[in-house]
Amino acid sequence: MELISENRAFGGRHLRYTHDAKSTNCSMTFAIYLPPFASAEKPVPVLYWLSGLTCNDQNFMQKAGAMKLAAELGMAIVAPDTSPRGEGVPDNENGAYDFGLGAGFYVDATQTPWKAHYQMYSYVTEELPSDVEQHFPVTKERAISGHSMGGHGALVAGLRNPNRYVSVSAFSPVSNPSDCPWGQKALSQYLGDEQSAWDEYDAAKIIASKNHAIPLLVEQGNSDEFLSEQLKPLALVQAAQQSDTQLTLNMHEGYDHSYFFIASFIEDHLEFHAGHLGLI
């Protein structure tokens, strides 16, 4: 791993690294916040944060205002990039923001040319946690959260891997990507036209398929400009009712899709995860 930068924050450390990732076949960047007193003798649990379209590892770290409470709770936070990048990594031809670089959708692509690098599901659920646990003073206790495209990624990762994560939360997630323009565009090109392949990365369909015991918390603003066309959180509610899965969806009057919304409620999510990580 190569250290890019280090900053002190609330007695802890915010660090940025690059590392050679086998899953994505390129160099990947991630950020980690280590709370005060995290050490080999006293490792801490980790909240993994997955960001949304056009974002990278820095959006959450700089805008969410999560570090102060994370420091108090004794919780590390890891934020990966949102796609592979670099020379030889393909991008969409017309420069659209919702597919290609910055828009990996946290799937393992099966279609050419994307499959050579766009293995973001394996990266965030397997390779990145393994590397983080090898190189930093953290435990194997993990929670996962995210926003928008990253909310979709967090829900899918947590629901498919209840043995890897103790809790899952999301802000304004793409809840039913098989049934929205963002999701259809990404899934069809990364995974092909076979709908059964899409179902593996559709949180609403995963929830509906069986009862899930992992704790689920979703936050959504009702003034979100993407609410009705792209996000469709009620699909999660209907799926949870179908499978008798416990899901908390909090709707908030007047809030939009921005980091102002995330910053307003991030402490609630940190405390939610801290409870399941045994920190409170």
Side-chain angles (χ1 to χ4, degrees), residues 14 57 101-102 104 106-107 130 141 169 180-181 220 233 248 258 268:
H14 169 265
D57 63 287
L101 296 185
Y106 306 103
V107 304
S130 176
E141 292 293 301
S169 73
C180 76
Q220 177 65 60
T248 299
S258 71
D268 295 342

XYZ file of all heavy atoms in Angstrom, residues 14 57 101-102 104 106-107 130 141 169 180-181 220 233 248 258 268:
124
model
N -7.139 10.544 9.510
C -7.745 10.281 8.206
C -6.612 10.014 7.236
O -5.724 10.843 7.034
C -8.570 11.482 7.745
C -8.995 11.386 6.307
N -8.282 11.975 5.278
C -10.041 10.756 5.727
C -8.872 11.719 4.124
N -9.945 10.984 4.369
N -13.501 8.428 -3.027
C -13.320 8.100 -1.614
C -13.436 9.295 -0.701
O -13.553 9.141 0.520
C -11.942 7.452 -1.413
C -10.814 8.411 -1.775
O -10.599 8.675 -2.967
O -10.142 8.901 -0.852
N -16.668 5.194 -15.535
C -15.838 5.721 -14.458
C -16.683 6.505 -13.455
O -17.478 7.367 -13.831
C -14.735 6.625 -15.031
C -13.698 5.961 -15.932
C -12.620 6.966 -16.322
C -13.062 4.745 -15.258
N -16.499 6.189 -12.180
C -17.282 6.816 -11.126
C -18.640 6.195 -10.928
O -19.409 6.636 -10.069
N -19.447 2.419 -10.933
C -19.260 0.977 -11.019
C -20.432 0.148 -10.556
O -20.506 -1.052 -10.814
N -21.183 -1.307 -8.053
C -20.897 -2.359 -7.065
C -21.376 -3.733 -7.524
O -21.931 -4.510 -6.749
C -21.472 -1.968 -5.697
C -20.977 -0.617 -5.260
C -21.780 0.514 -5.344
C -19.671 -0.451 -4.806
C -21.302 1.766 -4.969
C -19.183 0.800 -4.443
C -20.005 1.901 -4.528
O -19.517 3.136 -4.170
N -21.157 -4.007 -8.809
C -21.457 -5.328 -9.371
C -20.162 -5.955 -9.871
O -19.146 -5.274 -10.034
C -22.478 -5.246 -10.530
C -23.755 -4.556 -10.072
C -21.883 -4.535 -11.749
N -10.272 -7.564 3.411
C -9.125 -8.408 3.721
C -7.855 -7.579 3.849
O -7.063 -7.757 4.795
C -8.950 -9.474 2.630
O -7.797 -10.254 2.863
N -15.226 -7.326 12.751
C -16.604 -6.867 12.927
C -16.856 -5.716 11.972
O -16.198 -4.679 12.033
C -16.823 -6.415 14.374
C -16.775 -7.539 15.384
C -17.952 -8.486 15.200
O -19.111 -8.022 15.290
O -17.721 -9.688 14.940
N -27.170 -0.064 6.433
C -28.021 1.118 6.318
C -27.775 1.792 4.986
O -26.782 1.517 4.305
C -27.788 2.095 7.474
O -26.556 2.776 7.341
N -35.497 0.996 -12.858
C -35.243 2.434 -12.943
C -34.179 2.688 -14.007
O -33.363 1.805 -14.311
C -34.818 2.999 -11.586
S -33.117 2.638 -11.102
N -34.161 3.878 -14.603
C -33.233 4.148 -15.706
C -31.760 3.971 -15.341
O -30.990 3.396 -16.129
C -33.552 5.597 -16.085
C -34.984 5.781 -15.703
C -35.150 4.970 -14.448
N -34.595 8.523 3.760
C -34.977 9.082 2.463
C -35.656 10.437 2.643
O -36.534 10.590 3.487
C -35.930 8.131 1.736
C -36.443 8.646 0.399
C -35.341 8.785 -0.624
O -34.682 7.815 -0.973
N -35.122 9.997 -1.112
N -38.062 3.844 -2.914
C -37.882 3.127 -1.644
C -39.077 2.280 -1.228
O -38.916 1.332 -0.460
C -37.630 4.260 -0.643
C -38.282 5.463 -1.244
C -38.069 5.314 -2.720
N -36.556 -0.657 8.548
C -36.966 0.669 8.985
C -36.690 1.659 7.872
O -35.537 1.831 7.457
C -36.209 1.102 10.251
O -36.493 0.187 11.305
C -36.620 2.502 10.674
N -28.758 15.514 -1.382
C -27.406 16.023 -1.194
C -26.770 15.539 0.100
O -27.400 14.884 0.943
C -27.438 17.558 -1.177
O -28.049 18.016 0.024
N -27.289 9.344 13.525
C -28.265 8.292 13.817
C -27.784 6.953 13.263
O -27.946 5.903 13.901
C -29.625 8.626 13.212
C -30.260 9.856 13.840
O -29.832 10.246 14.952
O -31.162 10.436 13.217
